[in-house]
């Protein structure tokens, strides 16, 4: 914590001197003033606390106290006086004086009061900062972008947040902002004062996930030594975010569906119906439609979840937002790394906009983070992204084998591989090959690959 600055205001040089010396020895920075006017001038030097004599040659302490508080509500004031009447003391306290010390004072006591006062403001500031940080990171404005796609996403998120909808489905490739949007929905809703709880369905084996979600009674299974509340119960009134819902085991999918329809459930091994009011936001980067067709995901659960689908666009489909996102991340890393990068050069922006971003906004964020760590220029330029350009051109160094190739066959094989790797998603397959959707469609038809393998 930086050293606090204290302003001592008294017309008696000896009193100023004794207070200043004592407080310097405690490690504070000190300012001095002999009159009320001089004290007000010193406010621009940013004192955290003022020790203020009540009797001043040009005015009285209460007037100065009022002016100090007008200047900055957070500056602490301790009034020192030999002639306090109860009325002045009451008035000073009403005006926000922290303390009233009688003259002659004991230096130890003054030092202790100063320390206590600074400690309370530090706590007060921390709490205020904590509160505003806790609320602000997930405002709608956290979803950065001015493209039509992101603008309509923000509208949708705002509407869904305040709607009575009890389920929401977020789909989109990895790194498109599903986690972010889930939190924005929660904090923009009237559930924001209640818990936001999140669980990744792929992270736990089925039984554990089930007991995490629904809780269990004592003895429900071997390790269940005590009764435990599940996430749905703990989040009552709030939001539960089920990430990677596509990975949920079929048995559990059925139980989740039952809960979504009945709003109540039983703990594992329990017989009592527990009713809760939670909004379930589910997310997946799989194509649930296809998962349903191939019987890996229950169609009834899919239909229930899909009442309010929000599709997060891949970054390459709104590349015009890249400069805004880059500026946003530069700002964020400037404060995190204590740097003063001003932006990126036009060349850097066009480089960043020409890349396909298979890892979407997360990949962009990582690329900017790396560039910010390594760069020491005022603006990020092309050279700061050399790792990325290398990766981009790596594929271009394909070497023709001595035996030659059958170009048509090679093209077909690469196309099949790209489609397989992107689960048949044509846009994503296109990115892998540096082709747009039309170009990829054309080739799919040319090689007679429809329907997609
Ligand atoms: N539109 C956006 N504006 C600002 N930041 C964004 C945006 N979209 C994503 N981000 C940021 O990108 C990173 C990745 O986003 P997030 O974790 O929400 O992706 P995800 O869709 O949940 O990915 P995954 O499927 O891999 O879990 C986060 O740091 C997130 O804050
Ligand atoms: Mg995620």
């Amino acid at each position: 914590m930086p050293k606090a600055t204290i302003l001592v205001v008294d017309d008696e040089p000896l009193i100023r001197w004794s207070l200043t010396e004592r407080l310097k020895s405690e490690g504070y920075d000190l300012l001095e003033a002999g009159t009320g006017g001089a004290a007000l001038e010193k406010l621009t030097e940013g004192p955290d606390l003022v020790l203020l004599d009540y009797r001043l040659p040009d005015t009285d302490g209460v007037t100065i106290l009022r002016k100090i508080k007008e200047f900055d509500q957070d500056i602490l004031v301790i009034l020192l006086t030999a002639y306090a009447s109860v009325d002045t003391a009451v008035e000073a306290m009403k005006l926000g004086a922290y303390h009233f010390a009688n003259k002659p004072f004991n230096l130890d006591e003054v030092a202790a009061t100063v320390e206590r006062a600074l400690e309370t403001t530090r706590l007060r500031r921390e709490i205020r900062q904590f509160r505003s940080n806790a609320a602000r990171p997930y405002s709608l404005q956290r979803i950065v972008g001015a493209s039509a796609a992101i603008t309509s996403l923000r509208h949708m998120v705002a509407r869904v947040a305040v709607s009575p909808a009890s389920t929401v489905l977020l789909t989109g490739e990895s790194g498109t902002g599903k986690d972010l949007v889930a939190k924005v929905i929660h904090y923009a809703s009237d559930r924001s004062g209640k818990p936001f709880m999140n669980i990744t369905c792929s992270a736990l084996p089925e039984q554990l996930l089930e007991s995490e979600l629904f809780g269990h009674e004592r003895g429900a299974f071997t390790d269940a030594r005590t009764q435990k509340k599940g996430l749905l119960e703990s989040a009552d009134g709030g939001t539960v975010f089920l990430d990677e819902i596509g990975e949920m085991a079929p048995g559990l999918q059925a139980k989740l569906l039952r809960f979504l329809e009945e709003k109540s459930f039983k703990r594992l091994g329990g017989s009592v119906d527990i009713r809760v009011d939670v909004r379930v936001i589910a997310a997946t980067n799989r194509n649930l439609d296809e998962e349903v067709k191939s019987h890996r995901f229950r169609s009834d659960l899919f239909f229930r979840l899909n009442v309010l689908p929000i599709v997060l666009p891949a970054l390459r489909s709104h590349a015009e937002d890249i400069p805004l996102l880059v500026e946003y991340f530069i700002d964020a890393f400037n404060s995190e790394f204590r740097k003063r990068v001003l932006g990126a050069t036009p060349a850097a922006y066009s480089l960043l906009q020409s890349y396909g971003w298979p890892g979407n906004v997360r990949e962009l964020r990582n690329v900017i983070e790396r560039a910010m760590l390594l760069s020491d220029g005022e603006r990020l330029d092309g050279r700061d992204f050399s790792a990325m350009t290398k990766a981009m051109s790596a594929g271009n160094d394909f070497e023709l084998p001595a035996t030659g190739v059958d170009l048509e066959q090679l093209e077909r094989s690469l196309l099949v591989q790209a489609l397989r790797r992107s689960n048949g998603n044509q846009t994503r397959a296109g990115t892998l090959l540096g082709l747009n959707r039309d170009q990829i469609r054309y080739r799919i038809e040319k090689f007679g690959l429809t329907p997609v393998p």
Side-chain angles (χ1 to χ4, degrees):
M1 172 192 163
K3 277 192 281 183
T5 302
I6 298 171
L7 169 62
V8 176
V9 189
D10 201 307
D11 57 333
E12 291 265 4
L14 194 61
I15 294 187
R16 276 206 317 268
W17 180 83
S18 60
L19 281 170
T20 323
E21 285 307 299
R22 174 56 200 259
L23 293 169
K24 267 187 200 156
S25 76
E26 303 278 339
Y28 301 114
D29 282 333
L30 279 122
L31 302 167
E32 291 180 41
T35 62
L40 295 178
E41 278 169 25
K42 293 278 179 193
L43 293 182
T44 52
E45 292 179 40
D48 300 289
L49 182 146
V50 183
L51 282 172
L52 180 62
D53 187 20
Y54 180 73
R55 282 246 162 140
L56 291 166
D58 52 340
T59 175
D60 65 282
V62 171
T63 308
I64 298 299
L65 166 62
R66 187 179 293 123
K67 293 201 168 141
I68 292 174
K69 289 289 172 181
E70 276 166 18
F71 178 82
D72 181 350
Q73 182 63 30
D74 281 347
I75 298 177
L76 293 162
V77 179
I78 297 176
L79 265 179
L80 308 169
T81 179
Y83 326 90
S85 71
V86 175
D87 286 349
T88 15
V90 169
E91 197 191 349
M93 288 311 193
K94 274 195 199 146
L95 286 172
Y98 174 80
H99 195 78
F100 219 91
N102 283 319
K103 272 180 168 181
F105 45 74
N106 171 322
L107 279 176
D108 286 337
E109 270 172 29
V110 173
T113 310
V114 165
E115 190 187 337
R116 228 179 308 125
L118 288 169
E119 180 63 14
T120 52
T121 36
R122 191 174 64 83
L123 287 177
R124 217 169 45 211
R125 278 194 193 148
E126 274 176 9
I127 289 169
R128 197 179 309 154
Q129 185 155 15
F130 176 75
R131 282 211 189 107
S132 58
N133 281 351
R136 214 182 320 117
Y138 299 112
S139 70
L140 268 178
Q141 273 54 47
R142 239 328 240 102
I143 304 173
V144 176
S147 60
I150 294 295
T151 309
S152 78
L153 173 68
R154 258 196 311 268
H155 281 307
M156 183 72 176
V157 165
R159 282 218 309 276
V160 166
V162 298
S163 76
S166 62
T167 55
V168 180
L169 178 63
L170 305 178
T171 56
E173 292 175 22
S174 179
T176 47
K178 297 182 293 295
D179 273 74
L180 172 65
V181 164
K183 287 180 185 139
V184 172
I185 292 177
H186 173 74
Y187 287 105
S189 74
D190 57 7
R191 299 174 174 273
S192 64
K194 294 288 169 67
F196 173 89
M197 300 205 135
N198 107 38
I199 192 161
T200 305
C201 301
S202 60
L204 296 172
E206 180 174 358
Q207 193 193 37
L208 218 54
L209 178 60
E210 181 174 0
S211 84
E212 280 299 308
L213 275 178
F214 298 106
H216 59 71
E217 295 297 339
R218 192 175 157 193
F221 48 89
T222 331
D223 290 331
R225 290 198 192 87
T226 53
Q227 179 210 62
K228 194 181 144 210
K229 270 194 198 177
L231 227 54
L232 293 172
E233 229 176 312
S234 308
D236 195 12
T239 305
V240 168
F241 177 45
L242 297 177
D243 205 357
E244 299 185 22
I245 186 96
E247 322 284 316
M248 189 180 261
L252 208 46
Q253 289 177 27
K255 287 190 182 144
L256 177 64
L257 177 64
R258 204 171 315 129
F259 164 68
L260 293 175
E261 290 187 331
E262 292 164 13
K263 308 270 175 255
S264 73
F265 61 92
K266 294 183 174 66
R267 292 190 189 129
L268 265 77
S271 54
V272 189
D273 280 318
I274 299 173
R275 278 199 93 69
V276 294
D277 163 33
V278 297
R279 172 182 277 167
V280 171
I281 304 182
T284 178
N285 51 24
R286 292 200 182 178
N287 183 338
L288 278 194
D289 237 345
E290 279 173 16
E291 298 292 298
V292 168
K293 276 184 209 136
S294 53
H295 305 290
R296 281 189 295 265
F297 201 83
R298 289 182 69 107
S299 58
D300 45 8
L301 178 58
F302 173 63
F303 294 134
R304 184 72 188 79
L305 290 173
N306 205 33
V307 172
L308 258 185
I310 300 184
V311 182
L312 282 85
L315 181 54
R316 66 187 157 280
S317 73
H318 59 108
E320 66 264 42
D321 286 328
I322 288 176
L324 269 184
L325 282 160
V326 169
E327 280 165 26
Y328 171 74
F329 290 129
I330 288 179
D331 273 353
F333 290 121
N334 268 338
S335 38
E336 194 177 330
F337 304 149
R338 294 179 193 284
K339 289 222 170 190
R340 293 210 184 132
V341 176
L342 298 174
T345 60
Y349 282 129
S350 80
L351 171 70
L352 293 170
Q353 280 180 286
S354 68
Y355 180 55
W357 302 109
N360 296 295
V361 185
R362 178 181 296 114
E363 187 182 7
L364 176 63
R365 183 181 186 277
N366 294 345
V367 163
I368 301 299
E369 179 175 18
R370 188 191 146 89
M372 295 271 297
L373 281 170
L374 300 178
S375 145
D376 38 34
E378 271 199 337
R379 289 178 184 276
L380 303 179
D381 65 19
R383 275 168 309 177
D384 295 314
F385 302 107
S386 53
M388 196 187 99
T389 31
K390 241 181 250 156
M392 282 165 78
S393 60
N396 299 339
D397 292 336
F398 183 81
E399 204 171 311
L400 183 65
T403 49
V405 290
D406 178 336
L407 195 53
E408 283 283 297
Q409 213 180 323
L410 181 64
E411 191 184 354
R412 183 180 203 281
S413 149
L414 288 174
L415 186 61
V416 170
Q417 289 181 52
L419 284 166
R420 229 177 250 150
R421 203 181 297 171
S422 53
N423 283 328
N425 180 319
Q426 300 180 3
T427 321
R428 231 181 310 158
T431 311
L432 290 172
L433 300 171
L435 299 174
N436 66 31
R437 235 180 118 106
D438 289 337
Q439 292 168 322
I440 202 114
R441 286 229 176 105
Y442 165 78
R443 282 170 177 76
I444 288 173
E445 272 174 38
K446 173 170 119 184
F447 293 115
L449 291 180
T450 27
V452 161

